[in-house]
Amino acid sequence: MSSLRTDDDTWDIASSVGATAVMVAAARAAETERPDPLIRDPYAKLLVADAGTGAWEHMLDNELMERITGADAEIGAMFEHMGSYQAVRTHFFDRFFTDAAAAGIRQVVILASGLDSRAYRLTWPAGTTVFEIDQPKVLEHKSATLAAHGVTPTADCRTVAIDLRQDWPAALRAAGFEPAQPTAWLAEGLLMYLPADAQDRLFGQITELSAPGSRVAAESMGIHAPDRRERMRTRFAAISAQLGIAEPTDIAELTYDDPDRADVADWLDHHGWRAQATASQDEMRRLGRFVPIADSDDQSFSTFTTAVRD
């Protein structure tokens, strides 16, 4: 059970789970500025600037990253690994949407969309509608920031401002969602912030709303040794104090580490879907972006699962 979460908690882009969206966008921005980027997100930097989280915005400061590596090479490797992971994850799910569009799917739902910019940066076929579901303040920050810079979506983008613990299917239908049409669903950076029973309920709701031929993609986290998490937490605190920077949000304090959580691929296979799972380490190695870390339990950070509705 997370110590910082409650059943009715809310957040904006600078607090709690909302702040992790800034971390992910900062990683996409940093990847975009590499000479050999795996993905390109021209809007990520706009979304991170002045977001108010401080620590995550430091990921775009190359000089500071060099100082961190100089102070603790292992922490530097952790940041490099995290950045590469985010790039690989983004690449994987970008391809999921490309394949779904090629298969004729024109209805997309991004659950807990955060600062996801796919509705703006991907090339969508004519007639595609992208629904973004998240808390109101998170969606407001993204839409206002992009509008202020004259950025417009490349699909019919419809925001659904609601907490996924509420009746989001009704809100989605009210926004124009058509259950009879095949849909491409994405649950990226979401499941670890839900208790195990809420994860089951979410996939049950997705299944009820999915016509045959629909597709779903999800990222699920592994369970890692608590002693290693504590060691890394201590080292992050020491580096922050040494360099005079704010400590980043401890993501482990925001997540639900439920040992009885259902395996996503198994759940989907038993509920009318055909699923395939890919270990994140395997995908990182395939794309040449795996960064070894000495203090590691040698498990994949996560699993990427895709499935098709029969």
Side-chain angles (χ1 to χ4, degrees), residues 13 18 28 51 69 86 124 127 135 146-147 169 176 178-179 186 200 236 248 250-251 265 295 310:
I13 205 64
R28 294 199 308 268
T69 301
Q86 295 293 344
W124 298 99
Q135 297 226 6
L146 294 179
E178 299 182 24
L186 177 61
D200 291 347
F236 271 113
D250 186 352
I251 295 177
D295 188 4
D310 291 328

Side-chain angles (χ1 to χ4, degrees), residues 28-229:
R28 294 199 308 268
E31 177 68 20
T32 300
E33 294 182 349
R34 286 173 60 106
D36 57 342
L38 190 60
I39 59 97
R40 289 181 172 84
D41 185 343
Y43 310 122
K45 195 169 186 177
L46 297 177
L47 293 168
V48 171
D50 301 321
T53 60
W56 295 128
E57 295 168 48
H58 292 320
M59 291 180 67
L60 298 176
D61 186 339
N62 292 330
E63 182 179 338
L64 179 59
M65 290 296 103
E66 291 175 1
R67 290 171 59 203
I68 289 174
T69 301
D72 188 326
E74 189 64 17
I75 293 296
M78 283 284 293
F79 272 106
E80 183 182 357
H81 182 93
M82 181 170 62
S84 288
Y85 171 80
Q86 295 293 344
V88 168
R89 181 181 84 166
T90 302
H91 181 273
F92 184 93
F93 293 122
D94 281 359
R95 187 179 62 191
F96 164 77
F97 280 130
T98 299
D99 292 345
I105 293 177
R106 298 292 180 267
Q107 186 166 247
V108 171
V109 179
I110 302 177
L111 301 156
S113 58
L115 298 183
D116 187 302
S117 64
R118 291 185 175 97
Y120 297 81
R121 66 178 178 81
L122 295 186
T123 302
W124 298 99
T128 300
T129 301
V130 178
F131 296 91
E132 297 186 335
I133 304 178
D134 211 321
Q135 297 226 6
K137 291 181 180 179
V138 175
L139 293 175
E140 288 169 8
H141 172 83
K142 178 165 62 178
S143 60
T145 300
L146 294 179
H149 289 85
V151 180
T152 57
T154 54
D156 177 5
C157 181
R158 304 184 189 182
T159 57
V160 183
I162 191 170
D163 192 301
L164 287 169
R165 293 165 293 188
Q166 299 170 358
D167 190 2
W168 64 267
L172 183 62
R173 287 192 183 96
F177 177 84
E178 299 182 24
Q181 290 190 15
T183 304
W185 303 85
L186 177 61
E188 177 187 28
L190 166 60
L191 300 184
M192 63 182 176
Y193 301 112
L194 298 176
D197 60 341
Q199 175 180 306
D200 291 347
R201 184 165 59 254
L202 177 76
F203 282 115
Q205 292 166 317
I206 290 172
T207 300
E208 291 175 1
L209 293 168
S210 294
S214 292
R215 302 185 179 199
V216 64
E219 171 198 31
S220 53
M221 298 294 136
I223 297 176
H224 301 283
D227 58 334
R228 177 178 178 272
R229 289 201 300 269

Side-chain angles (χ1 to χ4, degrees), residues 225-293:
D227 58 334
R228 177 178 178 272
R229 289 201 300 269
E230 184 57 37
R231 289 196 302 272
M232 298 311 296
R233 183 184 294 115
T234 300
R235 292 172 74 168
F236 271 113
I239 288 296
S240 298
Q242 179 180 339
L243 299 181
I245 59 176
E247 289 187 47
T249 303
D250 186 352
I251 295 177
E253 293 296 322
L254 300 174
T255 62
Y256 293 85
D257 196 13
D258 292 342
D260 297 327
R261 185 185 297 274
D263 177 85
V264 173
D266 286 348
W267 192 100
L268 291 169
D269 278 336
H270 286 88
H271 291 83
W273 300 78
R274 287 177 286 109
Q276 180 175 353
T278 301
S280 62
Q281 281 191 357
D282 292 344
E283 188 68 1
M284 292 178 76
R285 287 191 173 98
R286 186 183 75 82
L287 295 172
R289 296 299 293 273
F290 181 74
V291 180
I293 301 173

